[in-house]
Amino acid sequence: QVQLVESGGGLVQAGGSLRLSCVASGSMRGIYTMRWYRQAPGNQRELVATITSGGMTNYEDSVKGRFTISRDNAKNSVFLQMNSLKPEDTAVYYCNADITPMTHWAPSQYWGQGTQVTVSS
């Protein structure tokens, strides 16, 4: 069974940094595009950053220049380095990935359980 598990959230003061990690486990044929989403209370879940299997990245406008998404294909992992954090970055952050499990021949989207990031002013 494929699972995504995030870690690295926490409480940080404005201007600080956090690094989120997400590891995929289980029997998999391949991991393709990986993403980070976030959801603040009362808001819809929004896409924060994307990285393809080839390493191409894309960011939501409000995090450009502050957040960096990266991945380690050998470790089935994706990371989100968050610098210059602002109170409006407070949210639950979710890892998301397109994965083909060993039992299938086409990819499906998988989600992690989320990790809380709180930025105090």
Side-chain angles (χ1 to χ4, degrees):
Q1 183 176 354
V2 173
Q3 288 187 319
L4 297 176
V5 178
E6 302 105 332
S7 61
L11 173 64
V12 64
Q13 288 189 333
S17 298
L18 283 174
R19 179 177 170 87
L20 304 183
S21 300
C22 173
V23 179
S25 64
S27 297
M28 298 170 285
R29 296 186 185 276
I31 303 175
Y32 308 102
T33 299
M34 304 185 82
R35 309 169 187 87
W36 287 97
Y37 283 79
R38 66 185 179 187
Q39 187 168 21
N43 290 358
Q44 290 188 336
R45 192 171 297 189
E46 66 173 354
L47 179 61
V48 175
T50 301
I51 185 166
T52 68
S53 56
M56 293 183 62
T57 60
N58 195 35
Y59 298 92
E60 192 268 330
D61 285 346
S62 70
V63 308
K64 285 180 180 177
R66 301 188 298 122
F67 290 11
T68 302
I69 189 171
S70 61
R71 63 192 288 168
D72 184 338
N73 292 330
K75 296 183 178 180
N76 297 334
S77 298
V78 63
F79 310 97
L80 187 67
Q81 178 66 44
M82 305 185 293
N83 298 329
S84 302
L85 282 161
K86 305 175 181 180
E88 51 264 44
D89 294 318
T90 295
V92 178
Y93 283 71
Y94 297 90
C95 175
N96 169 278
D98 299 333
I99 299 173
T100 300
M102 197 61 71
T103 55
H104 292 71
W105 294 99
S108 298
Q109 280 204 8
Y110 289 84
W111 291 88
Q113 82 286 355
T115 185
Q116 177 70 47
V117 171
T118 303
V119 184
S120 64
S121 56

